[in-house]
Amino acid sequence: MPQKNYYEAALAIAAIEMQQITPALQLEETASREPKREQETSVEACTTRRFVDEQIARKGSYHGRHPDDIYITAPALAEILDVSDETARRRLKYFEDQGVLRVAADAGEKRLYYEMVDDITGVTEENVRSESTIVDTAKRLLAAAEER
């Protein structure tokens, strides 16, 4: 029988990820002095993670946000699951080995930033995912939690 803690970890990981890949508007910055209502603005959709990440890269910070706030980390998972950072790291490594997560960035000294792989999140898909694709993806995530 699968361990409850792997289901809880899968749910927590999915919840963190889904909040960071919700759609956001990415406005093109202009240096024009024209009133904003008279300027032509190019708008593109992106994820909230990409938007905040680009703002951090451009400005050094974004309203006090840093990469810990926009990726899945062991301390965040540990807090949600009420486990040690080391236990959270093991859960993250397990889901990485299962092909659910990938390392997005390495800040050194055991600090890794994770994100779910694209075929789980569907972020790179241009069309709305079909019901069967959503169901199959959910089954895959649950199967990964059961393999323990």
Side-chain angles (χ1 to χ4, degrees):
M1 179 171 184
Q3 293 184 9
K4 176 183 164 195
N5 51 16
Y6 279 84
Y7 279 128
E8 290 174 344
L11 178 60
I13 288 166
I16 294 169
E17 182 72 10
M18 291 305 122
Q19 292 181 61
Q20 298 304 331
I21 62 169
T22 57
L25 291 180
Q26 185 174 32
L27 300 174
E28 181 181 291
E29 290 192 22
T30 61
S32 174
R33 294 186 183 260
E34 290 181 46
K36 288 193 177 196
R37 67 180 171 271
E38 295 176 17
Q39 293 178 16
E40 285 192 32
T41 305
S42 173
V43 178
E44 178 183 320
C46 67
T47 64
T48 52
R49 174 178 289 143
R50 185 171 134 204
F51 176 82
V52 174
D53 205 25
E54 287 176 2
Q55 294 299 317
I56 291 169
R58 186 179 302 133
K59 299 176 182 178
S61 70
Y62 181 71
H63 298 287
R65 302 273 172 89
H66 45 83
D68 285 4
D69 299 325
I70 59 173
Y71 288 100
I72 301 165
T73 63
L77 186 61
E79 184 176 340
I80 293 167
L81 299 177
D82 196 25
V83 297
S84 70
D85 284 3
E86 192 55 41
T87 297
R89 279 188 198 88
R90 284 194 305 271
R91 300 284 188 275
L92 292 169
K93 177 67 175 142
Y94 172 79
F95 283 107
E96 180 187 9
D97 293 344
Q98 296 300 314
V100 172
L101 296 176
R102 70 171 163 247
V103 174
D106 184 350
E109 296 186 37
K110 294 188 178 182
R111 177 68 89 174
L112 297 176
Y113 300 121
Y114 290 90
E115 60 189 355
M116 292 181 98
V117 296
D118 292 341
D119 63 332
I120 293 280
T121 63
V123 168
T124 59
E125 293 189 22
E126 293 180 21
N127 298 316
V128 175
R129 300 180 96 192
S130 70
E131 181 180 355
S132 62
T133 301
I134 292 168
V135 169
D136 290 345
T137 302
K139 286 179 181 177
R140 182 174 162 214
L141 180 58
L142 290 175
E146 288 179 0
E147 290 183 24
R148 183 74 179 134

